[in-house]
Amino acid sequence: MAKILKMVAQRLALGLLTLFAVSLIIFLGVELLPGDFAQEILGQSATPETVAAFRRELGLDLPWYTRYFDWLGGIFHGDFGKSFASDREVSELIGGRLLNTLFLAAVAAVISVPIAVALGVLAALYRNTLFDRTINVFTLTSISFPDFFVAYILILFLSVSWNIFPSISNVSSDLGFWEHVYRVILPALTLTLVIIAHMMRMTRASIINLLASPYIEMAMLKGISRSRIVTHHALPNALAPIINVIVINLAFLVVGVVVVEVVFVYPGLGQLLVDSVAKRDMPVVQASCLIFAATYILLNLTADVLSKLTNPRLLHPK
Amino acid sequence: MREIERYRGLLAAGRMTRRDFVQRAMALGATTALATSMAGGALAATPKKGGTLRLGIGHGSTSDTLDMAATTDLYMQVVGNAGYNYLTEVSNAGKLTPELAESWDVSPDAKVWTFKLRKGVEFHNGKTMDSGDVIASINHHLGEDSKSAAKAILDPIAEVKADGKDTVVFTMKTGNADFPFILSDYHVAIMPAKDGKLIDPRSGIGTGGYTIENFEPGVRTTLKRNPNYWKADRAHVDSAEVLVIQDTTARTNALTTGEIDAMDKVDLKTAHLLGRSKKVRLEEVSGTQHFTFAMRTDTAPFTDNHVRLALKYAIDREALVKTILLGHGVIGNDHPIGRSNQYHADDLPQRAYDPDKAKFHLKEAGLSTLKVDLSAADAAFAGAVDAAVLYKEHAAKAGININVVREPNDGYWSNVWLKKPFCAVYWGGRPTEDWMFSTAYADGVPWNDTYWKHDRFNKILVEARGELDGSKRRGMYHEMQKIVSDEGGVVVPMFANYVMGLSNKVAHDKLGANWAMDGFRAIERWWFA
Amino acid sequence: MARIWKLLKSAPPTALFGLIVIVAYILIAIFGPILTPYGESEIVGTQFIPRGEQGFILGTDNLGRDMLTRLIYGARNTIGIAFVTTCLAFLIGGVLGLMATTLGGWVDQLLGRLVDVLMAIPILIFALLILTITGTSVPVLILVIAVLDSTRVFRLARAVSMNIVVLDFVEAARLRGEGTSWIITREILPNALPPLVAEFGLRFCFVFLFISALSFLGLGIQPPTADWGSMVRDNATLITYGEITPLMPAAAIALLTVGVNFVVDWFLHKTSGIRDDK
């Protein structure tokens, strides 16, 4: 246990370093983009005087390193700054969006993870049967369609033709829980189709891999039923890679859903980030990127800890 | 046209469907745009109260603010025109009408404008509107620290002062016959002030027909009818919801599934398919919105007018309207004044695609062939890259080699426009000739994207601005359109219609053509039939 | 030759199907210009001619270009770009990953941290930043996607080879005094290959999807170049009206994905030596 705690502490420290590096890269990246906030916000109506007035007010006329370290100093005091565009606190601006993103990710995960693992186990159990092949072709086809296209097809059937679900996820904070779930079903289903193949294939592969190991053969010789072998002997030992791939996909559900948010007009963090990059709204870009990076780092750490906990051999290397 | 009037009567009486009406009107020779707008006019008869109007708008971003000085996209323009009022308004017929100003007067030299304000109009916060509010609202855009996008158009104001509580006097730097038009600009909203300063330009508090209940930048705004609204014949729906739906497909789906009642920017490629739906209809108006290819006349080879003329003759305008706008627009004549403008030069001969004339002008310029780069991105206008590719094909027949450079959408207006020698540009157009010309064609103005300088043009521009006699102005503006068309640095291939999708439940009067969504006024003008 | 024939005969039907698909795609890609009646971006008729009319088997698109021609040229561009990108990603990621484990120490630490940072940045945002700065020419697009993808390959290569370097035969090679490159190519690579190949199959297909997602944000391949990802995007609205036009490029991607992964499954099966006869 102490070893795990030590590892967690070590990884968290490294994570902070990573966050620092990420913030610097993003800052420089946005800095290198042509144009700045003052120009982008004024667009076609930018005149030299108005641009200069904007820059003076926001401090954009200062050199980049001064602005970066000002921002960094603020972070250490828990101050993420104010959005250039709306003059609102970044934390306030991002809070609601982050909740929306996490909510969608949670609904998608609740639907997709059990289905993926169950299908994976079944496919392993009945491998090379028609069932296995059908599942395989279906999931491969679903991941080879771009996510916006999967979304359009779902909308065509479930919304336009049969009118079961709303075609846009028009959510607001005054909705009840189930109403909220109802409105995010279509984006959640889209995400499910996008990620399910990866998880299902990994589950199937890991279990099949284990079925070849001697102790499983021993169990088979003992006459234990196949389904019992898979669920009681193979699955627990295959957990590490399965957890790993699940966690990677959870990270995707939080970080990689910009396109789905756009298609369903869902006010999540991804769309906010893309918008803010386009407008060069640095404080919002930085804060959103840090949240995404932190999500990724924490989920990765969780995956590693869980892998170690489920596989003690990794805890005590020779 | 008597036949059409008969049909209009049938339509208004509900004895003919809208679809039938449009088809018959077109059979009688009306264009699609005309037929649909006539249908709208016929249905206008009886506005009803009530309902929630939900609009899906294809623009908007998290940087949106309720401060109209910083507004650039349709989302805030539509919201702003529901929450705020202006001193003047461009009516759906394209005429300037009084709004918060009751009437106005001008000195003979067109320099001093006196506006009488409407009395007893209340802001949403209960304050009564007076000259102090108007002056603070104007000053919000002026001064050295102003970040307002309207700073340039209000720059001709030398002084603005109150004459009592209900009168405001503007003194201009030079005579300006169209000044009241400028006060209808969507930036110049009237907001409440205290001690000569606006209380909060981002509060959303105005005198408009709707109060802003909840505003989320780039996402959604909900509005509720202002019970004290001073206009009796406007603001029919009880409440409104404006949703930002950037993805065209999502917007179309939301309309067909009834999630929204109207959308802007119909995808032209699939407009004919949307038009088939029984529950929705297409509406379009042709106004001042136009697309251009701007040549920098200060950069070789565009310094030579023969080169510019060669390029003007080397584009097939009809093909562009057909392919890029799919017929939802009209061809341009290399000047920025639209047919709906008061002083549009109808008698100016239409320039046609003529590779031989293009070759002739190339020869006059001392060239046998010409190779130019044309910068385009879909940020310039939808289909700009395709339009450039078509232009390239047309020009090739005249011995001109246009190399299409696709620029990134991101940063197009700061890095390509006004920088590259030849690029695609979008103009929303302006309600008056003077406004349009002095925005983009006068010598030395910041948006003169052709860097064009023409002494005669600049001279008449100033003269016409100070001229109050309509027929003299007509002559002047005609001459200016001819000069731009023959000697300017701009190719204006087409004027694009505003194409909207509406649920059949929504009704309206004739649609305003000055801006998208009924001159931004959909919320206060439309109702549920 | 005879060996190949024997191998093919022993292949399951799914793998054969996959092979046929891949070979057909490659042939179409190579002989595209001969097969197509028109040029890649040639405007040959009016817009939206329906399928089968006026001699256009698949109709024409929004500018009046022949859909079939675009689809065939799309095979060239799409497969070419995806293949080069994936190879580059595996070259960078694979070599660095194997080096990290073989050399260990600070090299491993440095590369590991670098990849951590790159992976912590949302991939689409990173691509958006870089492509906006550099512009979206094909070489830049390939390079950017390859580098971003190589981080995933690096992690896999490192994880797989971790378990191999501690094995006895690698130790033995070290004691014999073999060089690092010799150990990597002769001892580690052959044993780490199967999981890497499996990953190659999926990564290859993800490149199409990534280009497609980029074109959704307006950063895809420059028109008038035809590629399937952008073609799906350009015609996507039509699906709402039940028109199958956008399904054609999407189906082209899907068929290739299924085909490639069938072959990969078969390869895995052969190399892992799992008894699968029951």
Side-chain angles (χ1 to χ4, degrees):
Chain A
M1 213 55 211
K3 268 190 175 163
I4 287 193
L5 286 179
K6 194 176 160 218
M7 179 190 91
V8 169
Q10 217 171 19
R11 294 277 296 271
L12 284 178
L14 273 176
L16 280 180
L17 263 180
T18 309
L19 285 182
F20 169 75
V22 167
S23 78
L24 192 62
I25 291 177
I26 295 293
F27 191 95
L28 288 176
V30 176
E31 208 47 41
L32 280 173
L33 289 180
D36 67 5
F37 173 78
Q39 278 176 328
E40 292 305 321
I41 197 84
L42 289 165
Q44 205 184 3
S45 51
T47 60
E49 298 102 76
T50 48
V51 167
F54 250 117
R55 289 199 179 133
R56 271 199 307 279
E57 185 185 294
L58 297 169
L60 288 174
D61 44 355
L62 300 172
W64 71 268
Y65 46 87
T66 317
R67 279 179 287 130
Y68 179 72
F69 286 108
D70 276 354
W71 174 84
L72 199 63
I75 294 298
F76 283 118
H77 296 98
D79 173 17
F80 281 85
K82 280 182 174 177
S83 156
F84 287 170
S86 58
D87 206 31
R88 293 204 291 182
E89 291 292 335
V90 167
S91 44
E92 178 201 341
L93 195 68
I94 283 183
R97 297 279 193 137
L98 179 62
L99 279 182
N100 281 343
T101 293
L102 293 178
F103 187 84
L104 175 59
V107 175
V110 165
I111 299 175
S112 59
V113 172
I115 296 180
V117 174
L119 286 181
V121 170
L122 286 175
L125 204 52
Y126 302 104
R127 66 179 184 276
N128 292 336
T129 61
L130 187 64
F131 170 79
D132 179 24
R133 295 220 166 96
T134 315
I135 294 287
N136 208 0
V137 170
F138 178 75
T139 49
L140 280 175
T141 311
S142 76
I143 52 162
S144 54
F145 278 22
D147 38 9
F148 59 84
F149 197 64
V150 174
Y152 290 160
I153 293 176
L154 285 180
I155 291 174
L156 173 65
F157 287 113
L158 297 179
S159 186
V160 176
S161 298
W162 302 332
N163 222 343
I164 305 174
F165 297 108
S167 70
I168 52 174
S169 303
N170 184 6
V171 294
S172 55
S173 47
D174 51 351
L175 289 177
F177 176 77
W178 290 110
E179 181 65 20
H180 205 133
V181 172
Y182 172 68
R183 296 200 183 182
V184 301
I185 284 287
L186 278 189
L189 279 182
T190 307
L191 290 171
T192 298
L193 285 176
V194 169
I195 62 172
I196 208 165
H198 199 194
M199 295 191 287
M200 174 258 159
R201 283 173 67 84
M202 185 54 89
T203 308
R204 177 181 179 275
S206 323
I207 290 178
I208 290 181
N209 207 7
L210 274 177
L211 289 181
S213 42
Y215 77 100
I216 297 281
E217 297 209 344
M218 181 62 84
M220 279 184 187
L221 289 178
K222 277 201 209 149
I224 300 173
S225 78
R226 274 178 74 92
S227 55
R228 195 181 156 78
I229 289 175
V230 168
T231 51
H232 283 72
H233 299 272
L235 191 57
N237 285 296
L239 271 182
I242 296 175
I243 287 175
N244 230 315
V245 73
I246 287 177
V247 167
I248 287 175
N249 280 292
L250 288 184
F252 171 82
L253 284 180
V254 175
V255 173
V257 297
V258 179
V259 172
V260 171
E261 283 175 11
V262 171
V263 170
F264 288 101
V265 204
Y266 188 74
L269 207 48
Q271 212 179 338
L272 178 73
L273 178 51
V274 172
D275 254 14
S276 304
V277 169
K279 287 288 188 295
R280 321 282 189 257
D281 195 343
M282 192 73 92
V284 183
V285 175
Q286 287 282 48
S288 322
C289 279
L290 285 188
I291 288 177
F292 283 149
T295 308
Y296 172 81
I297 292 169
L298 288 179
L299 279 175
N300 243 327
L301 180 54
T302 316
D304 287 354
V305 171
L306 285 178
S307 310
K308 295 226 162 151
L309 287 180
T310 51
N311 188 352
R313 261 172 304 177
L314 284 172
L315 258 185
H316 310 284
K318 47 177 178 174
Chain B
M1 286 316 246
R2 179 169 295 169
E3 199 69 348
I4 289 193
E5 283 309 315
R6 193 172 71 80
Y7 290 145
R8 281 186 72 167
L10 288 174
L11 176 65
R15 287 164 58 193
M16 183 183 227
T17 66
R18 174 183 191 88
R19 188 180 302 263
D20 285 343
F21 173 81
V22 172
Q23 276 169 359
R24 298 211 188 159
M26 283 172 70
L28 289 169
T31 63
T32 327
L34 180 63
T36 50
S37 80
M38 280 196 302
L43 282 172
T46 47
K48 273 196 236 159
K49 298 270 170 201
T52 299
L53 182 68
R54 295 157 306 164
L55 304 176
I57 302 292
H59 310 253
S61 90
T62 34
S63 58
D64 290 325
T65 123
L66 286 170
D67 180 0
M68 297 305 282
T71 290
T72 48
D73 60 53
L74 187 61
Y75 172 48
M76 291 327 296
Q77 287 155 346
V78 167
V79 168
N81 273 270
Y84 300 113
N85 283 141
Y86 298 80
L87 284 182
T88 59
E89 178 188 352
V90 175
S91 75
N92 56 351
K95 298 274 179 291
L96 193 69
T97 53
E99 193 166 33
L100 288 179
E102 222 166 31
S103 62
W104 51 86
D105 261 321
V106 60
S107 65
D109 60 355
K111 264 191 171 174
V112 182
W113 287 88
T114 310
F115 284 80
K116 283 255 177 279
L117 303 182
R118 200 171 291 280
K119 293 186 185 103
V121 176
E122 276 184 15
F123 286 105
H124 300 152
N125 63 1
K127 183 186 185 307
T128 305
M129 188 262 307
D130 63 25
S131 53
D133 303 314
V134 172
I135 291 170
S137 298
I138 299 290
N139 281 333
H140 177 49
H141 305 276
L142 303 175
E144 202 198 336
D145 279 335
S146 160
K147 297 172 291 173
S148 169
K151 189 179 180 184
I153 58 163
L154 293 178
D155 192 55
I157 299 176
E159 193 194 11
V160 50
K161 60 173 199 277
D163 180 8
K165 275 181 96 65
D166 301 316
T167 307
V168 179
V169 181
F170 293 88
T171 310
M172 317 303 294
K173 290 174 185 160
T174 58
N176 198 325
D178 285 333
F179 179 64
F181 269 101
I182 287 179
L183 294 177
S184 74
D185 182 68
Y186 62 85
H187 297 104
V188 198
I190 304 302
M191 290 178 266
K194 200 178 167 190
D195 305 328
K197 283 210 76 120
L198 290 182
I199 294 170
D200 177 7
R202 285 177 172 165
S203 64
I205 292 175
T207 57
Y210 291 84
T211 51
I212 289 159
E213 296 280 287
N214 184 16
F215 165 65
E216 287 175 67
V219 182
R220 161 199 22 229
T221 304
T222 49
L223 305 106
K224 212 171 151 188
R225 194 177 189 284
N226 171 10
N228 295 329
Y229 196 36
W230 59 274
K231 288 186 194 173
D233 57 342
R234 293 281 186 86
H236 309 294
V237 295
D238 290 336
S239 54
E241 186 172 5
V242 186
L243 286 169
V244 176
I245 310 180
Q246 310 231 14
D247 184 47
T248 313
T249 312
R251 208 158 60 244
T252 315
N253 283 329
L255 181 67
T256 47
T257 56
E259 302 274 322
I260 54 171
D261 304 305
M263 65 180 269
D264 77 314
K265 277 215 302 188
V266 168
D267 177 32
L268 298 179
K269 280 183 246 169
T270 53
H272 60 292
L273 296 169
L274 182 64
R276 277 190 215 153
S277 165
K278 297 241 182 319
K279 284 182 278 181
V280 300
R281 64 178 192 263
L282 291 180
E283 300 252 6
E284 56 187 299
V285 286
S286 135
T288 52
Q289 173 177 237
H290 59 281
F291 303 150
T292 72
F293 295 110
M295 305 173 252
R296 282 188 64 156
T297 55
D298 63 344
T299 311
F302 307 114
T303 42
D304 187 334
N305 193 41
H306 283 294
V307 170
R308 307 203 292 259
L309 276 172
L311 281 160
K312 286 177 189 177
Y313 278 112
I315 188 165
D316 186 347
R317 294 172 182 74
E318 305 276 358
L320 252 66
V321 169
K322 202 165 153 254
T323 314
I324 305 300
L325 301 179
L326 290 110
H328 300 280
V330 290
I331 55 170
N333 201 11
D334 297 338
H335 65 70
I337 305 305
R339 279 152 217 245
S340 60
N341 275 70
Q342 201 177 355
Y343 301 119
H344 174 255
D346 306 309
D347 49 350
L348 195 65
Q350 173 64 47
R351 182 162 289 126
Y353 176 44
D354 191 337
D356 291 330
K357 273 199 181 150
K359 277 184 193 152
F360 166 78
H361 284 289
L362 270 194
K363 204 185 267 173
E364 288 291 302
L367 300 166
S368 54
T369 57
L370 176 64
K371 188 174 185 307
V372 287
D373 284 348
L374 173 57
S375 302
D378 280 345
F381 55 85
V385 179
D386 288 340
V389 170
L390 285 177
Y391 193 1
K392 171 197 173 83
E393 301 240 333
H394 302 154
K397 296 208 174 79
I400 300 173
N401 182 1
I402 295 180
N403 177 35
V404 178
V405 183
R406 189 208 200 189
E407 305 281 353
N409 278 332
D410 185 296
Y412 186 81
W413 298 112
S414 37
N415 305 305
V416 179
W417 185 60
L418 291 171
K419 302 258 181 353
K420 293 287 158 71
F422 193 21
C423 67
V425 186
Y426 150 86
W427 282 99
R430 299 292 182 269
T432 69
E433 292 72 13
D434 178 62
W435 194 343
M436 186 67 234
F437 282 141
S438 45
T439 303
Y441 295 84
D443 178 28
V445 295
W447 303 329
N448 184 339
D449 53 12
T450 52
Y451 292 79
W452 188 57
K453 195 174 168 173
H454 192 285
D455 294 338
R456 171 79 187 147
F457 177 89
N458 289 316
K459 186 164 162 281
I460 324 176
L461 181 63
V462 176
E463 283 173 16
R465 192 180 295 149
E467 179 60 64
L468 291 168
D469 178 345
S471 67
K472 278 190 197 159
R473 297 185 78 197
R474 177 175 301 276
M476 292 166 158
Y477 285 125
H478 278 211
E479 187 184 349
M480 287 159 77
Q481 287 168 56
K482 184 166 167 30
I483 296 176
V484 173
S485 182
D486 291 344
E487 297 172 56
V490 69
V491 183
V492 184
M494 53 195 162
F495 280 72
N497 292 352
Y498 292 114
V499 186
M500 293 161 262
L502 269 69
S503 151
N504 277 337
K505 288 182 285 180
V506 177
H508 55 76
D509 207 331
K510 181 183 179 339
L511 290 170
N514 49 327
W515 296 108
M517 296 312 269
D518 203 352
F520 300 149
R521 298 277 182 149
I523 297 178
E524 77 160 40
R525 285 180 184 171
W526 295 1
W527 65 89
F528 284 100
Chain C
M1 202 60 208
R3 258 185 65 203
I4 295 176
W5 188 243
K6 205 175 151 210
L7 192 69
L8 283 181
K9 266 173 92 176
S10 72
T14 47
L16 278 179
F17 171 77
L19 278 173
I20 292 170
V21 168
I22 294 172
V23 170
Y25 273 59
I26 292 173
L27 288 179
I28 289 175
I30 293 173
F31 297 108
I34 305 171
L35 295 171
T36 54
Y38 309 105
E40 182 173 359
S41 60
E42 193 183 340
I43 295 166
V44 292
T46 52
Q47 304 135 272
F48 297 125
I49 296 172
R51 275 181 299 283
E53 286 180 22
Q54 297 177 31
F56 301 110
I57 299 169
L58 295 179
T60 58
D61 70 358
N62 59 321
L63 285 181
R65 297 174 295 202
D66 181 34
M67 273 301 275
L68 182 65
T69 305
R70 303 276 297 164
L71 215 51
I72 291 174
Y73 271 96
R76 270 170 94 78
N77 300 326
T78 315
I79 298 175
I81 289 171
F83 186 72
V84 173
T85 308
T86 320
C87 288
L88 200 59
F90 272 79
L91 195 70
I92 302 172
V95 168
L96 291 183
L98 296 182
M99 265 172 61
T101 40
T102 326
L103 296 175
W106 65 270
V107 179
D108 188 20
Q109 280 296 321
L110 187 75
L111 287 172
R113 296 293 79 77
L114 191 70
V115 164
D116 274 350
V117 170
L118 284 182
M119 287 183 81
I121 300 173
I123 186 163
L124 205 57
I125 295 301
F126 208 23
L128 188 82
L129 280 180
I130 299 177
L131 292 175
T132 308
I133 297 170
T134 57
T136 52
S137 61
V138 170
V140 173
L141 205 63
I142 288 177
L143 204 65
V144 169
I145 303 178
V147 168
L148 290 177
D149 248 6
S150 70
T151 55
R152 274 77 181 161
V153 180
F154 172 87
R155 277 182 53 119
L156 183 76
R158 187 174 172 276
V160 171
S161 54
M162 257 315 217
N163 295 326
I164 301 171
V165 277
V166 291
L167 294 180
D168 299 339
F169 59 86
V170 181
E171 292 282 325
R174 277 222 177 99
L175 291 176
R176 282 206 307 276
E178 304 285 2
T180 310
S181 60
W182 194 91
I183 294 178
I184 288 180
T185 49
R186 297 292 172 83
E187 302 286 0
I188 298 178
L189 193 58
N191 290 294
L193 211 51
L196 284 176
V197 169
E199 186 72 4
F200 190 95
L202 277 180
R203 285 275 146 228
F204 180 65
C205 302
F206 284 158
V207 173
F208 304 131
L209 301 182
F210 196 62
I211 292 177
S212 185
L214 283 176
S215 73
F216 191 90
L217 297 176
L219 284 168
I221 289 174
Q222 295 249 14
T225 310
D227 91 280
W228 293 335
S230 314
M231 283 172 79
V232 178
R233 173 65 198 144
D234 287 347
N235 297 299
T237 314
L238 288 170
I239 194 74
T240 341
Y241 302 102
E243 299 267 323
I244 63 158
T245 314
L247 275 178
M248 291 187 288
I253 298 177
L255 189 62
L256 184 59
T257 308
V258 173
V260 167
N261 282 288
F262 275 168
V263 176
V264 164
D265 283 350
W266 174 48
F267 173 81
L268 270 187
H269 177 72
K270 286 210 74 79
T271 50
S272 63
I274 301 169
R275 291 205 332 265
D276 227 6
D277 35 314
K278 292 167 239 180

